[in-house]
Amino acid sequence: DIQMTQSPSSLSASVGDRVTITCRASQNIRRYLNWYQQRAGKAPRLLIFAASSLQSGVPSRFSGSGSGTDFTLTISSLQPEDFATYYCQQSTNTPWTFGQGTKVDIK
Amino acid sequence: EVQLVESGGGLVQPGGSLRLSCAASGFNLRNYWMHWVRQVPGKGLVWVSRVNSDGSYTRYEDSVKGRFTISRDNAKNTLFLQMNSLRPEDTAVYYCAREGEGNDYYLDVWGKGTTVTVSS
């Protein structure tokens, strides 16, 4: 199975900060990498698919990059509604696997 | 509105069975591959199972193979997860999710989840 490792596991930031979360795959997953946001008590929400494609309706302050084994999710200017947990997920083959999550909370 | 609504969760004893349902609305289920994903409260997301659009192809996470069965009734726009021989470690919130169109393989629509508790 492909292991997905996110860093950091948690971070504290302020509104307006630029936030970067990284995700590393244990083998080459090309660009089959997706990012999800999960607010407390809610279902996950797709933010980015195929490493860098913004899902419809997602604010443009979210962006993704990378290919192969190393990927990044960037929030250009953190907003109050962005305090949540973020997960990367590979879909190059089954079992699809998620990173352990990165919790973004208020500094 | 595109929506998925799970049901069927509850409290069950170890070794017991449950059948989860996921009702789709706002889109034609027969056109989409579907998934189940679970989450132990306070923990991360774990992919459980995948089924193709007509139900002829299925895949499972290793810990549920031989115990869980994913299926679908496209005429009723409903996805199912039959869970047998349940263990305490199956306790989780179970989400159904739609796989997006095309060849990028992502989950673009999620239900709100249904809670399964396996305990004596």
Side-chain angles (χ1 to χ4, degrees):
Chain A
D1 298 359
I2 298 173
Q3 307 303 314
M4 306 300 294
T5 304
Q6 289 181 231
S7 60
S9 295
S10 64
L11 65 91
S12 296
S14 301
V15 172
D17 283 353
R18 182 181 182 88
V19 169
T20 298
I21 299 169
T22 64
C23 179
R24 175 163 287 177
S26 61
Q27 64 189 69
N28 183 1
I29 60 170
R30 292 173 284 173
R31 293 179 62 82
Y32 292 108
L33 190 283
N34 308 310
W35 289 98
Y36 301 87
Q37 176 195 63
Q38 188 177 33
R39 296 181 178 127
K42 302 294 186 183
R45 169 198 181 199
L46 177 68
L47 298 176
I48 301 286
F49 64 94
S52 60
S53 296
L54 191 68
Q55 172 67 353
S56 176
V58 174
S60 59
R61 63 181 179 272
F62 291 93
S63 64
S65 65
S67 66
T69 60
D70 294 304
F71 301 86
T72 299
L73 173 70
T74 299
I75 310 172
S76 60
S77 177
L78 200 66
Q79 298 302 300
E81 59 269 30
D82 300 337
F83 292 97
T85 300
Y86 295 84
Y87 294 93
C88 63
Q89 173 247 322
Q90 67 80 21
S91 55
T92 192
N93 54 31
T94 54
W96 289 15
T97 45
F98 292 86
Q100 80 278 16
T102 295
K103 185 176 181 180
V104 177
D105 62 20
I106 302 171
K107 182 185 274 185
Chain B
E1 180 192 5
V2 172
Q3 197 172 6
L4 295 170
V5 178
E6 302 92 339
S7 61
L11 174 64
V12 62
Q13 292 189 337
S17 298
L18 274 179
R19 189 193 198 200
L20 305 184
S21 299
C22 170
S25 59
F27 68 99
N28 197 334
L29 188 71
R30 70 178 66 251
N31 295 331
Y32 293 88
W33 293 42
M34 297 294 294
H35 297 247
W36 288 96
V37 175
R38 66 185 179 183
Q39 184 174 36
V40 173
K43 302 296 185 183
L45 300 167
V46 177
W47 176 85
V48 173
S49 185
R50 183 191 194 197
V51 63
N52 70 344
S53 52
D54 67 7
S56 61
Y57 165 101
T58 58
R59 287 294 185 269
Y60 300 93
E61 190 259 332
D62 280 350
S63 71
V64 309
K65 274 180 193 173
R67 301 187 300 122
F68 290 11
T69 303
I70 190 171
S71 64
R72 57 196 300 158
D73 184 339
N74 287 337
K76 295 183 177 178
N77 244 26
T78 304
L79 175 74
F80 302 101
L81 185 68
Q82 177 67 43
M83 304 188 297
N84 298 331
S85 302
L86 282 161
R87 304 167 180 168
E89 55 265 36
D90 296 318
T91 295
V93 176
Y94 284 75
Y95 297 100
C96 64
R98 186 181 84 172
E99 185 174 321
E101 295 179 296
N103 297 321
D104 289 322
Y105 310 117
Y106 52 87
L107 301 174
D108 66 343
V109 178
W110 294 66
K112 294 182 177 178
T114 187
T115 299
V116 172
T117 303
V118 184
S119 175
S120 54

